[in-house]
Amino acid sequence: MNSVFLGPPGAGKGTQASALSAEFKIPHISTGDILREEIKAGTELGKLARSYIDDGNLVPDRVAVDIIKNRLEKDDAKNGYILDGFPRTVPQAEMFQKILEDMGSRLDLVIYLEASEEVLVERLGGRRVCRDCGKIFHLVNMPPKTEGVCDLCGGELERRPDDQPEAIRHRFRVYQDKTSDLINWYERRGLLKRVPGDIPWEETYEMLRETFAGDDGSRTGRD
Ligand code: AMP
């Protein structure tokens, strides 16, 4: 199943997508993770992306689209994938559609993780991410076994620069301005499924699991 996860910052796209990816053995492709890797590696792309990301702004559409195009050409994306954080704007969705057509492929499902801003601000403030493997924790909802240390790889946990309060507020404004239009865009195409993202994450996961396990295409309005 080729799927996209939409939702405001902090709705749980990364956490849910990474658990589904492990269970259903399809890649979890996050443009944010790819960009953070590029920043860490000090590449030209990383240098370009850093100024946008740290302030909570979007990188140019063309940059995000090129990243996805290259990534979808890899073999592991042939049997389905979960896109997390892409597309972020209607122009990106339009370019993505064209890429899929050129590849003779299509999108099967768009999950919209819905959540109130109040819950999300609280969540993002407590989010900690492993600087080595990217695993996501939360100080209250999903704490690591040892404070400040990743359960999986022992790496140091850190707060993302764009999870600072001012950047969080800015990311919400960017989401409202640029990304929320995608909800109608995909709804009109019969691809959107709304899933609550402000309940305990295990409950959201169970709903998503059923959707992914019962994939017969009927729910998405396909023939
Ligand atoms: P995320 O990890 O999805 O919250 O993304 C972190 C940051 O990476 C965003 O605030 C943007 O600066 C950048 N980014 C990630 N995906 C995209 C995208 N599809 N288009 C533009 N910028 C993006």
Side-chain angles (χ1 to χ4, degrees):
M1 169 140 76
N2 299 337
S3 60
V4 158
F5 273 43
L6 286 184
K13 300 184 294 294
T15 309
Q16 300 289 351
S18 116
L20 288 164
S21 155
E23 180 162 352
F24 291 93
K25 316 235 172 327
I26 50 174
H28 162 208
I29 301 173
S30 152
T31 36
D33 283 350
I34 294 172
L35 289 166
R36 281 184 288 275
E37 282 298 315
E38 297 283 337
I39 291 174
K40 216 156 70 173
T43 63
E44 285 306 311
L45 173 57
K47 283 180 204 148
L48 169 85
R50 171 160 228 151
S51 54
Y52 294 97
I53 294 186
D54 284 357
D55 293 340
N57 290 317
L58 298 182
V59 303
D61 286 336
R62 194 72 248 172
V63 172
V65 170
D66 283 348
I67 289 174
I68 284 298
K69 185 169 185 298
N70 290 334
R71 183 60 186 83
L72 294 186
E73 280 165 2
K74 299 207 170 137
D75 276 351
D76 67 342
K78 299 282 180 272
N79 295 322
Y81 46 78
I82 303 172
L83 298 189
D84 157 18
F86 180 91
R88 272 302 221 279
T89 64
V90 170
Q92 287 184 20
E94 286 166 347
M95 287 188 255
F96 179 42
Q97 189 93 333
K98 174 83 178 54
I99 291 172
L100 290 173
E101 279 164 23
D102 290 348
M103 291 170 77
S105 180
R106 67 177 174 193
L107 193 58
D108 300 305
L109 175 68
V110 176
I111 298 282
Y112 171 33
L113 281 181
E114 294 182 286
S116 72
E117 185 165 333
E118 201 184 307
V119 170
L120 299 181
V121 170
E122 193 276 325
R123 262 196 203 162
L124 290 169
R127 176 159 77 175
R128 297 292 179 273
V129 182
C130 175
R131 51 184 331 146
D132 293 333
C133 75
K135 165 104 178 122
I136 302 165
F137 295 88
H138 189 277
L139 296 182
V140 179
N141 305 331
M142 211 187 284
K145 292 197 187 89
T146 309
E147 199 185 316
V149 180
C150 176
D151 291 355
L152 292 187
C153 75
E156 190 186 336
L157 302 187
E158 63 180 7
R159 187 171 177 153
R160 278 170 39 174
D162 58 348
D163 279 346
Q164 302 298 334
E166 190 45 44
I168 291 177
R169 277 193 290 277
H170 186 63
R171 283 161 65 208
F172 272 107
R173 287 198 297 277
V174 171
Y175 174 79
Q176 289 302 343
D177 284 354
K178 308 244 164 104
T179 309
S180 55
D181 289 347
L182 282 175
I183 292 154
N184 289 335
W185 200 85
Y186 279 123
E187 194 149 49
R188 282 201 301 275
R189 285 161 179 80
L191 289 172
L192 197 81
K193 181 178 169 72
R194 293 167 188 266
V195 175
D198 52 4
I199 54 179
W201 93 270
E202 294 87 346
E203 290 175 29
T204 301
Y205 186 68
E206 206 39 51
M207 292 179 196
L208 292 171
R209 232 177 128 249
E210 278 170 23
T211 301
F212 274 67
D215 174 33
D216 60 3
S218 57
R219 169 199 60 261
T220 63
R222 284 163 24 196
D223 299 325

